[in-house]
Structures are given as C-alpha cells and as structure tokens.
C-alpha cells in the first residue's frame, strides 16, 4: 500500500527533480550547481501553489479576525454543550467550519511531498559521493565543517537560521500561533537533516533562501508578484534557448528551431494581456465562453493516463512478450505495464486533479482547454509521427540514433498548431463538449486495445514457461558451457556486434602489450559489410555470399526469415555433420525474434545452442559489489519515459532519450546493458572446459559488448559506477571506443588462458563484426554515407600462426568468414540448404552494398528486402578510395 502511494504521489515529483538535475548538470558540469538548479526550478514550479496557499491563508486570517470578538464573547459566557451549540450556530451563520482552519497550514503541506521526493532522490544519489562543491568536501556525506568534537555540521545550522529568518519576515504581523508553527517546523527540519548528506541539506538551504527572497518581495511589492513570476519564467526560457544554441549537441537546424520555440514561449505570458485587450473589443458572447466542468478536464486526462500507462507500454511489449518475461524476480511482463500505469496515474490523474481544484474558475478553464489539446497532440505524435528508430532492446536502448530532419519537425509543429487552433475555436464557440465526447470515445478505444494487448502478452507468457524452464535461471557460480580440445582442432568464430574496425590501431597503440597477446592474428582493415545493421548485415557473415541482400532477393519464392535461419544454421550443420563438437551462443534474430528463439536448432541434436547474453549479469554485479541498476529497475523507471517519448513532438525526443539514458543522472543504465555481453567475455576462462581427447570443436559465438555503448574505467576499461579515468586515446570521450577497448582486453585475457592451457596454437580464431558504427569516427572521404558503418572488424588467426599482430590491406568482406572458417578443414564445403559451394569468387566483381536496407526485422512473410538502387552502391578493391564506390543505379 505504501509503495503504491509513493509511486502515485511522490514518484512524479522525483522524476521532475531528476530531469532538472540531469539538464542543469549538463549545463554547469557540476553536481553542486545541479542541486541548486533543482532547488530553483522546484521553487519556481511551486510559486503558483504558494500564491494559492497565500490566498487561502489570508482568507482564513481575515475570517478569524472577523469572528474572533464574537467567539471570545461566546466562550466567556458559556460552557460545555451550550458553548458548542452556540459556536456551531455562529459558524454556520457565517458559512464557516472549524476544519477550515487547516487552510492556514496549506503552505506547509505543499512542502511535505517535495521534501519527501527530494529526500528519497538525493539521499540515495550515488553521484554525490566524493563530489565537492565550494566549501563542501563531499556532497554525499554530512559536511562536518566545524572541527570540534568529531565535527559539527554547519550547513544544517545555516539552513535553519535562513529558515527562521524567512519565517520571521513572512509572519510579521501574524498571530503567535502561526509563528510558533513555522519556527517549530524549522527545528524539526534541523533534527531530520542534521546528519543527512550535505547535498540534500544544500537543496533545502537553497529552498529556504528562495523562500526568504520571495517573502521579502511579497512584503515590499505584493501587488506585482505575478509580474515577477512571469519575468522569472521568461528568463528561464531565454536561458534554455541559449543553452541549446551554445552547449547542447545535435543537428544545428533542430537546435535553432528549439531555441526559437523557447524564445516564443518566453514571450507568451506578455502577449496574453495584450490579447485580452484585443478580445475585449469583440462581442461579449464570443469573448467569454461558459465555464467548463471537471469532466471536460478529467476525461482527456484519463485518456492520457490510459495512453501512457497502458497502451504504449503494452504496444511495445506485445511485439515481443518473451523478451520482457522472466526478468530478475518478475515473471510476467504485465507487472511492468501495471507499474507504468501507477506512475502515469500520479502524473495525469492525481496531481492534475489536485492542481485543477486548487485554482480559480479562470484557471480551471485554462486546464479544461489544455487537457484535450494535449491529448490531441499526444495522439497525433503517437500515430502520425511515430518515428523510425530501429530495434529497441529490453533495456529500452535503440540500435540507432534518434534524429529527425527539420522538414519533419516543421510538419509536426504545423499539425499541432492546427489542432490547437481547432480546440480554441470550439472553446470560444462554446462547443468544447464535442471534444469531451471524442475524448471519451478515445478513452474507451485505447482501453479496449490495451486490454487486448495485455491478453496477448499474458497468453504468450503462459506459453513460454516451458521454454523458460529450459534456460539458465539464477546463477550462483560460473560453470563451463563449451569445450575446446588440446589434441584436436578448434575453430572459434566470434561475432562482436557493431565492433569498430577503425578503432583497432588506437586501442593497440594505447595498450602496446596487445600486439604480442594477439599473436598470429592478421587484421584486415579493408573489409566491407553489406549493410549497416544486424538484420541484413549478419546473414552474409554466417552464410557467405549466398546471403548478401542482393542474393537473398533473387530467391524471391522463399520468405526472408527462412533464408535468415538458413544462414545461422549453415556453419553449425557443416561442422556437426563433419563430426565436430559444435556450440552456438546467442545467434542474432533466429526466427526473427529479438529474444533468442533457439528452436531452429532443435532438428540438429549434435548442435549445442545456448543463450549467454544477460545470463551472467546479476552474478557479475554481485561478485564485483557494484550497485548497477538491474534490468527490472531500468524498466520500472524508463518504461514511463518511453511513453512520454512517444507522445512528445519529434523535436523533443532526442532530449528525452538522451542516447539511452532517459534523463537519468548517470549512464549506469547503459552500463548494465553493456554488462549483458561484457560479463560473458570476462567469464570466458571459466566458461571454457578443456579436454585431452582428440576431437575437433567449433564454437560460434555472438557477443554484444561492442554494441551497447557506455563509458568504462581506463586503462583496463572495466565497468564502474562513476568513471574517473577515460584513458589517453584520441577517442577517450567516445563511448563506442570504450566498449571496443574492453572487448579486445577481455579477449586478450582469454587468449592468455588458451595459451596456458595449450589451446591457442591448435585453434583458428576469427573475430568479426556484422557492421560498423553509425558515425564516421575516422574515415572522411566525402561520400554521402558513413563509410565506417560499412567497415566491419575482421581479424583472423590461423592454426599455429606466429608473430605479432599483422595488418593486411587485401580487399575483404565479412561474407568471406564462412570460407575462412572451413577452409583446409572441410573438403569441398557446400551449403546444405542450397547445394552450392562455399567460396569467395563473388569478390572478383564489385560487391553490392545495401546502404538503403531497413534496420527493422522484416515481416516473416516477406520474401525480399526493400533495396533502393538510387541509394545503394557497388564497391571494389579499396573501400577507403571514394573512386571505388559507384551508385548501383548506374549499373
């Protein structure tokens, strides 16, 4: 019960505090200033509430002053029941009830939920630990500034003095009861916060400073207080526009548009009074619409609640229920929908209703008009401007960047403006009830769709129980899952998803010892992939040239999902049918499922297929005693932000998403995602069993460490909660560099283990990626696409190869990998599905590169990829020479 109340009442305020903390931190690059920014923002947001509280308190004082003489007389001449009856009659005659006295405490009550929210957030914020600010040595601990008797905390005392001063100013001329109440609360806060982290005390001290300034201003110029609020609001908007243009990174056109929008918003409060004067010239029946009721406000807000709390989360999860099942201690994904619904209820129902009832009729009218307007904006953004961001992970990180062109943003804003004008026309025409009826129909529709989604989710979850029971569940230790032979031959193929080829020289130069550790390896930098994303780039890697996008499209009688599965099965079948002991881990998108559906290997009992990604994450975190958030914690927090992201205009989505951090203060959420693959690489020595039997083995492994970006602690590039050493590479501030360096270092440790176990020389090892990164980190050759994205990693160590790492500029593609894996081992290798031989003859002609290929998984019934010769290219000989790239439409 208490947890539900916290989620509904306090959690929305925590999220407001968190988002302000994040963005002020990005502006000032200092945690202390982030706390100050949070205090100022919360105080500004509370100003309207304080204004309402002040009105109620003043009303109570006036009534008490008016009734006091008569009450005093009644109490002096009567006792007991007679006094009670006389006072009750007197109160009723004056339309008053003693319970109304609570109105005088409203200003204090406002502070309580904000205090609880700030306390729950700042008292547990890891980034405060060890962070200094001005004269405070550690924001995560009591200040202990006075070195007497073990240290006296000075900041809480200063906070209390400012609080008392603000109270003295505010209660000047007030009854003694109100003064005692305020000074008593100041003492309570001193006791509560004395041993609290100084970051939390700093927050409350700044609140008191702001309160003092506010009270002084009210005393001096009470009648102009609304103008000062408008001025401060406009100042914040102008400051945000300056931040976007000078500090915020992103597309210039987008930044310019956002900056202009904030400037326009800053002018709106000053334009409204002018608009009122102009409207006053119109006929009265047009200017003054009838008062709108609570239902006109609440029905759209209820629809927003269902949209963000149920519909959007269920729409995401229903696309892959298995992926969101059995996460940590939560079995059914319906839990995460219910949790998001509670958070959304707090935002759109509880707090919005509180605000609606607090304000005057005029403000209620504004709320009642704004609610359907926001609902229409949300529906428009969800269904008409959904965006194309690629595949999203269970940790809610997209596999591509969030970006929108200026034309799309302008179209979106134009549509929203038309919708806003439509609502205003209905309002001034006294026909807002039509919008309310439409919102009610919308509420019923999305409620029904949400219920249907939840039914499908629960149905697939129930069907998945048997599958889950066959998987590795809670681990207490790491045990071997594959075997390599000392006496036979071992073929190891490791696909490092999105590994960056162009980073390799910089990683090895930063850690020169790697040159000798990677003994016998040949690095092929002049390698091309056939697409920039896994869904189309991985099939050639596993299946060879028969599974390039162009060749897949030639077999237009076979669904692409079947051809995709063939590519994943080809090498395991070839090796197992030749008598090899075969292990496969984490194949990409079997059966086009984002959660590994290993049933495609069921017809091949000699192939051992396993899921390792995320299996070892919790154990790794436990063993290393680092407080990374779990996947369930990330979902519980970010699924609501995902809903806000979807209903927001495209212009603001990049700022909400924040490269997968979702407005979190640290990137540890992304580090958790990195850990899903990193933990596997780190445990490789423990996952490797050694046998003296003369058997041949094949290990085909996929690892996502290089796909999930996060900063790691240099020079070893290991996961930590707060990174302090970024290394000395030119790319030290690129998360992609960190994860690539981590992968090569953990593999180096495994190679050392293989050498110790006499497994290295008799092993052929291929390191390859399906594609490169989206941005061009290194290659700048003037082509209209990012060459680095089509430049995958390729490194090969053959049996008994010696010498330090070598570089070979031979023209290669990742479709060469199957041939490299089987050559000199399998005589006359053929594709068991097509009967065609496995070779590299296709490289004798220019290769068709699908620049245009979709980043989504295709519909299972689709037989071809959507390729565009106007965007696609042929390439040959050297991918770093722009003359070797030619548009496909010219062929």
């Amino acid at each position: 019960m208490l947890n539900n109340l916290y989620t509904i009442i306090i959690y929305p305020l925590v999220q407001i505090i968190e988002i302000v903390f994040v963005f002020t931190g990005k502006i000032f690059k200092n945690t202390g200033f982030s706390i100050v920014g949070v205090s100022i923002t919360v105080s500004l947001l509370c100003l309207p509430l304080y204004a309402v509280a002040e009105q109620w308190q003043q009303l109570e004082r006036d009534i008490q002053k008016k009734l006091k003489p008569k009450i005093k007389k009644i109490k002096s001449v009567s006792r007991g029941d007679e006094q009670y009856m006389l006072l009750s009659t007197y109160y009723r005659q004056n339309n008053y009830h003693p319970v109304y006295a609570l109105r005088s405490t409203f200003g204090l009550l406002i502070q309580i939920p904000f205090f609880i929210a700030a306390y729950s957030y700042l008292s547990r914020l890891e980034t405060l630990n060890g962070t200094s600010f001005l004269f405070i040595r550690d924001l995560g601990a009591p200040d202990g500034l006075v070195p007497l008797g073990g240290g006296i905390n000075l900041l809480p005392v200063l906070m209390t003095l400012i609080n008392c001063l603000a109270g003295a100013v505010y209660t000047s001329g007030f009854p003694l009861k109100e003064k005692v109440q305020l000074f008593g609360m100041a003492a309570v806060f001193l006791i509560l916060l004395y041993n609290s982290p100084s970051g939390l005390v700093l927050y409350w001290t700044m609140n008191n400073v702001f309160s003092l300034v506010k009270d002084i201003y009210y005393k001096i110029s009470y009648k102009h207080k609304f103008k000062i609020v408008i001025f401060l609001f406009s100042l914040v908007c102008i400051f945000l526009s300056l931040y976007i243009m000078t500090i915020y990174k992103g597309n210039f056109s987008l930044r310019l548009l956002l900056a202009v929008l904030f400037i326009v918003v800053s002018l709106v409060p000053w334009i409204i009074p002018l608009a009122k004067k102009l409207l006053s010239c119109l006929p009265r029946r047009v200017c003054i619409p009838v008062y709108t009721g609570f239902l006109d406000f609440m029905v759209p807000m209820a629809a927003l609640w269902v949209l963000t709390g149920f519909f959007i989360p269920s729409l995401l999860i229903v696309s892959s229920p298995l992926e969101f099942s059995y996460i940590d201690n939560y079995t059914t994904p319906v839990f995460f929908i219910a949790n998001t619904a509670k958070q959304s209820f707090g935002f759109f129902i509880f707090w919005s209703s509180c605000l609606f009832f607090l304000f005057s009729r005029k403000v209620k009218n504004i709320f009642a008009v704004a609610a359907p307007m926001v609902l229409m904006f949300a529906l428009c953004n969800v269904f008409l401007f959904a965006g194309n961001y690629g595949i999203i992970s269970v940790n809610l990180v997209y596999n591509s960047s969030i970006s929108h062109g200026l034309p799309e943003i302008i179209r979106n804003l134009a549509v929203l403006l038309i919708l806003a004008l439509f609502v205003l026309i209905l309002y001034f025409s006294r026909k807002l009830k039509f919008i309310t009826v439409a919102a009610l129909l919308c509420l019923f529709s999305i409620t029904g769709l949400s219920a249907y989604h939840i039914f499908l989710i629960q149905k697939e979850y129930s069907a998945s129980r048997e599958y889950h029971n066959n998987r590795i569940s809670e681990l207490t230790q790491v045990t071997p899952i594959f075997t390599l032979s000392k006496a036979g031959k071992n073929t190891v193929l490791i696909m490092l998803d999105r590994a960056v080829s162009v980073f390799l020289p910089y990683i090895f130069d930063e850690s020169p010892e790697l040159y000798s550790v990677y003994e016998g390896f040949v690095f092929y930098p002049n390698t091309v992939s056939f697409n920039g994303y896994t869904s189309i780039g991985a099939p050639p890697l596993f299946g060879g040239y028969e599974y390039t996008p162009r060749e897949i499209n030639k077999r237009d009688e076979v669904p692409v999902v079947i051809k995709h599965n063939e590519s994943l099965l080809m090498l395991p079948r070839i090796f197992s049918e030749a008598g090899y002991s075969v292990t496969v881990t984490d194949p990409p998108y079997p059966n086009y499922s984002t959660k590994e559906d290993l049933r495609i290997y069921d017809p091949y009992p000699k192939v051992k297929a396993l899921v390792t990604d995320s299996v070892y994450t919790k154990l790794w975190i436990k063993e290393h005693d680092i407080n990374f958030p779990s996947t369930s914690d990330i979902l519980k927090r970010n699924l609501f932000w995902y809903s806000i992201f979807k209903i927001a205009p495209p212009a603001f989505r990049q700022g909400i998403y924040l490269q997968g951090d979702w407005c979190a203060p640290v990137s540890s959420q992304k580090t958790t995602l990195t850990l899903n693959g990193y933990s596997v690489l780190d445990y490789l020595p423990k996952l490797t069993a050694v046998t003296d039997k003369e058997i041949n083995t094949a290990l085909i492994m996929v690892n996502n460490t290089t796909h999930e970006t996060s900063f790691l602690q240099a020079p070893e590039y290991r996961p930590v909660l707060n990174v302090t050493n970024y290394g000395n590479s030119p790319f030290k501030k690129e998360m992609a560099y960190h994860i690539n360096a981590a992968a090569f270092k953990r593999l180096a440790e495994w190679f050392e283990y293989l050498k110790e176990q006499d497994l290295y020389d008799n092993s052929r090892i291929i390191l390859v990626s399906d594609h490169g990164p989206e941005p061009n980190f290194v290659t700048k050759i003037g082509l209209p696409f990012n060459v680095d994205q089509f430049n995958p990693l390729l490194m090969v160590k053959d049996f008994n190869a010696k010498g330090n790492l070598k570089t070979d500029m031979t023209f290669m593609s990742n479709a060469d990998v199957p041939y490299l894996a089987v050559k000199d081992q399998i005589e006359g290798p053929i594709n068991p599905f097509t009967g065609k031989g496995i070779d590299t003859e296709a490289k004798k002609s220019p290769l068709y590169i699908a620049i245009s290929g979709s980043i989504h998984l295709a519909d299972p019934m689709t037989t071809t990829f959507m390729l565009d010769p106007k965007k696609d290219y042929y390439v040959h000989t050297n991918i770093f020479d722009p003359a070797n790239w030619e548009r496909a439409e010219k062929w």
Side-chain angles (χ1 to χ4, degrees), residues 374-425:
V374 172
L375 174 61
M376 294 179 72
F377 290 173
L379 293 171
C380 172
N381 293 328
V382 169
F383 294 106
L384 300 182
F385 296 90
N388 185 0
Y389 312 121
I391 298 167
I392 192 168
S393 73
V394 68
N395 287 47
L396 303 183
V397 177
Y398 283 104
N399 69 341
S400 61
S401 60
I402 303 300
S403 61
H404 293 272
L406 186 61
E408 181 184 7
I409 291 172
I410 293 175
R411 285 196 302 271
N412 172 257
L413 294 178
V415 171
L416 298 185
L417 178 61
I418 292 170
L419 292 175
L421 292 174
F422 174 69
V423 173
L424 288 175
I425 289 171

Side-chain angles (χ1 to χ4, degrees), residues 451-465:
Y452 179 64
H453 291 163
I454 293 171
F455 167 76
L456 294 178
I457 291 166
Q458 191 66 18
K459 181 180 178 181
E460 187 159 344
Y461 155 73
S462 299
S464 71
R465 289 178 182 175

Side-chain angles (χ1 to χ4, degrees), residues 104 127 140 241 587 792 864:
S104 64
T127 54
S241 67
T864 58

Side-chain angles (χ1 to χ4, degrees), residues 288-573:
I288 307 176
V290 292
Y291 167 65
T292 51
F294 177 63
L295 283 179
D296 297 320
F297 168 74
M298 188 44 61
V299 171
M301 297 308 292
L304 279 168
W305 167 49
V306 175
L307 180 68
T308 57
F310 291 97
F311 178 77
I312 295 175
S314 66
L315 184 63
L316 170 68
I317 294 175
V318 77
S319 64
S320 183
L322 186 58
E323 190 171 6
F324 294 88
S325 301
Y326 305 103
I327 294 176
D328 299 329
N329 297 323
Y330 304 98
T331 54
T332 173
V334 174
F335 165 81
F336 298 108
I337 298 174
N339 185 73
T340 306
K342 286 187 289 186
Q343 295 170 356
S344 181
F345 184 89
F347 273 97
F348 294 107
I349 302 296
F350 177 80
W351 281 108
S352 66
S353 299
C354 291
L355 292 174
F356 184 87
F357 285 115
L358 280 176
F359 289 99
S360 65
R361 176 172 292 191
K362 289 182 178 179
V363 178
K364 285 185 173 73
N365 268 4
I366 295 174
F367 282 173
V369 174
M373 199 178 291
V374 172
L375 174 61
M376 294 179 72
F377 290 173
L379 293 171
C380 172
N381 293 328
V382 169
F383 294 106
L384 300 182
F385 296 90
N388 185 0
Y389 312 121
I391 298 167
I392 192 168
S393 73
V394 68
N395 287 47
L396 303 183
V397 177
Y398 283 104
N399 69 341
S400 61
S401 60
I402 303 300
S403 61
H404 293 272
L406 186 61
E408 181 184 7
I409 291 172
I410 293 175
R411 285 196 302 271
N412 172 257
L413 294 178
V415 171
L416 298 185
L417 178 61
I418 292 170
L419 292 175
L421 292 174
F422 174 69
V423 173
L424 288 175
I425 289 171
L426 289 177
Y427 173 67
F428 285 107
S429 302
R430 302 184 181 184
K431 296 179 180 179
L432 195 61
K433 296 293 181 183
F434 289 109
I435 295 290
T436 304
V437 173
L440 191 62
L441 293 175
C442 173
L443 173 62
F444 290 147
S445 299
I446 58 179
T447 300
L449 287 172
S450 301
Y452 179 64
H453 291 163
I454 293 171
F455 167 76
L456 294 178
I457 291 166
Q458 191 66 18
K459 181 180 178 181
E460 187 159 344
Y461 155 73
S462 299
S464 71
R465 289 178 182 175
E466 182 180 353
Y467 169 79
H468 175 261
N469 292 337
N470 292 329
R471 293 191 60 195
I472 301 172
S473 55
E474 189 73 23
L475 293 173
T476 57
Q477 61 181 355
V478 180
T479 56
I481 59 172
F482 58 85
T483 301
L484 299 181
S485 171
K486 288 185 178 182
K489 288 185 175 181
N490 307 300
T491 301
V492 178
L493 166 58
I494 302 178
M495 183 192 112
L496 297 170
D497 197 338
R498 200 162 64 182
V500 183
S501 175
V502 292
F503 280 159
L504 191 78
Y506 299 94
I507 293 171
F508 278 60
D509 287 346
E510 187 180 19
S511 302
E513 70 278 4
L514 293 178
Y515 282 103
S516 60
V517 175
Y518 280 75
E519 179 184 4
F521 270 94
V522 178
F523 169 46
Y524 295 96
N526 185 25
T527 301
V528 71
S529 59
F530 292 84
N531 183 252
Y533 300 97
T534 302
S535 56
I536 304 179
L541 186 157
F542 293 103
Y545 286 97
E546 285 191 82
Y547 297 93
T548 62
R550 195 160 178 260
E551 293 302 313
I552 279 180
N553 281 2
K554 288 181 180 179
R555 296 168 59 194
D556 57 6
E557 75 286 356
V558 181
V560 289
V561 65
I562 300 298
K563 291 175 277 194
H564 182 91
N565 288 345
E566 286 179 6
S567 71
L568 298 180
L569 289 166
M570 189 188 78
L571 283 177
R573 279 196 61 182

Side-chain angles (χ1 to χ4, degrees), residues 569-641:
L569 289 166
M570 189 188 78
L571 283 177
R573 279 196 61 182
I574 290 173
F575 279 117
S576 65
E577 291 168 9
Y580 283 63
S581 173
V582 180
T583 302
V584 176
T585 73
D586 308 288
Y589 308 137
N591 276 333
Y592 272 175
S593 169
T594 53
K595 193 81 169 181
E596 288 84 351
D597 183 351
L598 302 181
R599 287 175 293 181
I600 67 170
Y601 297 95
D602 288 348
Y604 310 101
K606 293 183 180 179
V607 177
K608 181 181 180 181
L610 300 169
V611 173
T612 66
D613 189 75
S614 78
V615 169
Y616 302 96
T617 306
K618 287 182 68 176
L619 181 62
W620 192 97
I621 292 173
K622 182 179 179 181
E623 287 185 353
H624 292 79
D625 194 26
I626 304 177
N627 190 28
F628 287 116
S630 64
T631 299
S632 60
D633 289 336
I634 292 171
L635 278 174
K636 284 189 287 186
R637 179 196 181 275
N638 290 348
L639 201 52
F640 174 72
W641 280 108

